[in-house]
């Protein structure tokens, strides 16, 4: 009897030892990653995501469109100003975001102070050192542009045009006194049609068949967007070609340039 009890006890002890070893082995097999390993993996994922999202643009205008097209569409939804017009005006008046007012003051539309109580910047325009509005973020410049047009009676006719009529908007903006440049409407229309910005208007107006593609170019560098103060001679020197070659590439008869104009600088 005693011998039988001892055997049972021995078997039970042996079973406990085996179970304990298996439990330890399982715990070791599921050893969690160290903090260092987790950090390294996160860094690899971040690097991969960053690399895949990197975009290379052929010129500053393409980048400008990519950055601000959604804001322009939102403004159209809220205030009825064609997104194409807002973007084209921003491109033209800010030099595709490279002008001094846009860089130093986030002012993309050259809106002057006129009783403004916020930040200010002084810049030579029609007169020396005129007062312009300064914004904390460019999106506030876009909103101020919408309100500037919406709240002034002289622009009321614009909002009676057919929605998405960017050509009508371009012409009436100058007629209402927004710009003194006789070629202002043609410049806006040229930018809109070159980059197919009218598709942004169609998207806002509910055309589900429209797909607006942000223009991006791998490698880039074959075109140049004209900034305020640029001359054909200066651009030719920059890209090491002659003025005649520039004129031939862009089918130019003279040397006149427009801010926001896109030039081919390499064959």
């Amino acid at each position: 009897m005693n011998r039988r009890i001892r055997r049972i006890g021995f078997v039970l002890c042996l079973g406990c030892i085996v179970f304990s070893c298996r439990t330890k082995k399982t715990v070791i097999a599921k050893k969690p990653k160290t903090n260092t390993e987790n950090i390294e993996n996160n860094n690899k994922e971040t690097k991969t995501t960053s690399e895949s999202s990197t975009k290379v643009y052929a010129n500053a205008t393409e980048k400008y469109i990519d950055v601000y097209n959604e804001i322009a569409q939102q403004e159209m939804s809220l205030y009825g100003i064609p997104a194409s017009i807002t973007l084209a005006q921003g491109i033209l008046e800010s030099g595709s975001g490279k002008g001094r007012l846009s860089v130093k003051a986030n002012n993309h539309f050259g809106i002057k102070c006129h009783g403004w109580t916020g930040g200010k910047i002084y810049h030579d325009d029609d007169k020396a050192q005129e007062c312009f509005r300064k914004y904390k973020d460019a999106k506030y410049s876009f909103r101020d542009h919408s309100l500037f047009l919406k709240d002034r009676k002289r622009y009321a006719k614009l909002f009676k045009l057919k929605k998405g009529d960017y050509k009508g908007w371009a012409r009436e903006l100058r007629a209402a006194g927004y710009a003194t440049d006789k070629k202002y409407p043609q410049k806006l229309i040229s930018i809109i049609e070159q980059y197919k910005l009218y598709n942004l208007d169609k998207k806002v107006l509910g055309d589900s068949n429209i797909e607006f593609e942000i223009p991006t170019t791998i490698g880039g560098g074959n075109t140049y967007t004209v900034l305020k103060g640029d001359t054909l001679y200066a651009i030719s020197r920059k890209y090491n070609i002659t003025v005649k070659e520039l004129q031939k590439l862009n089918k130019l008869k003279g040397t006149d340039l427009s801010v926001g104009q896109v030039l081919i600088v390499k064959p």
Side-chain angles (χ1 to χ4, degrees):
M1 184 73 177
N2 289 337
R3 190 177 295 174
R4 186 178 180 184
I5 291 172
R6 288 175 185 171
R7 282 182 182 176
I8 294 171
F10 176 77
V11 171
L12 289 173
C13 288
L14 184 62
C16 288
I17 292 169
V18 172
F19 178 79
S20 176
C21 290
R22 286 181 178 176
T23 303
K24 288 180 180 178
K25 186 176 181 180
T26 303
V27 171
I28 293 171
K30 293 184 178 180
K31 180 182 177 181
K33 294 181 180 179
T34 63
N35 288 336
T36 304
E37 288 173 327
N38 286 330
I39 292 171
E40 288 176 352
N41 287 338
N42 289 337
N43 286 340
K44 287 178 181 177
E45 291 174 1
T46 303
K47 186 176 180 181
T48 302
T49 303
S50 176
E51 288 174 349
S52 63
S53 63
T54 300
K55 293 180 181 179
V56 180
Y57 305 91
N59 54 59
T61 303
E62 291 186 356
K63 183 177 181 180
Y64 191 93
I65 294 168
D66 195 4
V67 173
Y68 297 110
N69 78 89
E70 291 183 4
I71 295 176
Q73 289 179 81
Q74 183 180 20
E75 294 303 305
M76 181 177 179
S77 297
L78 292 172
Y79 297 97
I81 302 165
S84 60
I85 285 290
T86 298
L87 268 182
Q89 284 190 286
I91 290 166
L92 194 59
E93 295 174 34
S94 74
S96 297
K98 289 191 171 185
R100 180 173 179 266
L101 287 177
S102 55
V103 173
K104 299 286 186 181
N106 286 314
N107 189 334
H108 287 232
F109 300 92
I111 299 178
K112 297 179 181 179
C113 289
H114 299 305
W116 176 255
T117 57
K120 300 173 183 178
I121 185 172
Y122 295 88
H123 181 76
D124 292 346
D125 194 51
D126 297 327
K127 299 177 182 178
Q129 292 300 288
E130 290 190 85
C131 182
F132 290 84
R133 301 182 183 188
K134 187 175 183 179
Y135 305 94
K136 292 182 179 179
D137 191 286
K139 65 183 179 183
Y140 300 120
S141 173
F142 278 76
R143 176 57 50 86
D144 221 8
H145 169 263
S146 298
L147 295 173
F148 182 85
L149 296 177
K150 192 73 175 178
D151 295 343
R152 284 166 174 74
K153 290 182 179 179
R154 62 174 172 161
Y155 299 117
K157 187 178 178 180
L158 292 160
F159 294 91
K160 295 178 182 179
L161 294 171
K162 185 178 179 181
K163 292 181 179 179
D165 181 6
Y166 65 89
K167 291 183 179 179
W169 268 82
R171 297 187 187 104
E172 289 300 326
L173 274 169
R174 184 185 179 277
Y178 189 95
T180 56
D181 183 358
K182 292 181 180 180
K183 295 182 179 180
Y184 192 74
Q186 287 75 25
K187 290 177 181 179
L188 292 181
I189 293 169
S190 176
I191 293 170
I192 290 169
E193 294 184 344
Q194 180 176 353
Y195 293 99
K196 300 181 180 179
L197 300 182
Y198 46 76
N199 283 332
L200 293 173
D201 303 337
K202 293 178 181 179
K203 281 189 70 175
V204 175
L205 294 174
D207 191 338
S208 58
N209 295 320
I210 292 297
E211 287 292 334
F212 179 73
E213 295 183 5
I214 304 298
T216 56
T217 306
I218 302 302
N222 293 325
T223 61
Y224 175 78
T225 303
V226 177
L227 303 177
K228 189 174 182 179
D230 278 341
T231 64
L232 210 58
Y233 176 71
I235 296 170
S236 70
R237 289 288 300 274
K238 182 176 181 179
Y239 290 97
N240 197 30
I241 60 176
T242 67
V243 171
K244 287 186 177 181
E245 285 175 321
L246 261 181
Q247 290 173 319
K248 186 177 180 181
L249 283 172
N250 295 278
K251 298 179 180 179
L252 300 175
K253 294 181 179 180
T255 57
D256 291 339
L257 297 175
S258 303
V259 175
Q261 182 178 354
V262 178
L263 296 176
I264 299 171
V265 292
K266 291 182 181 180

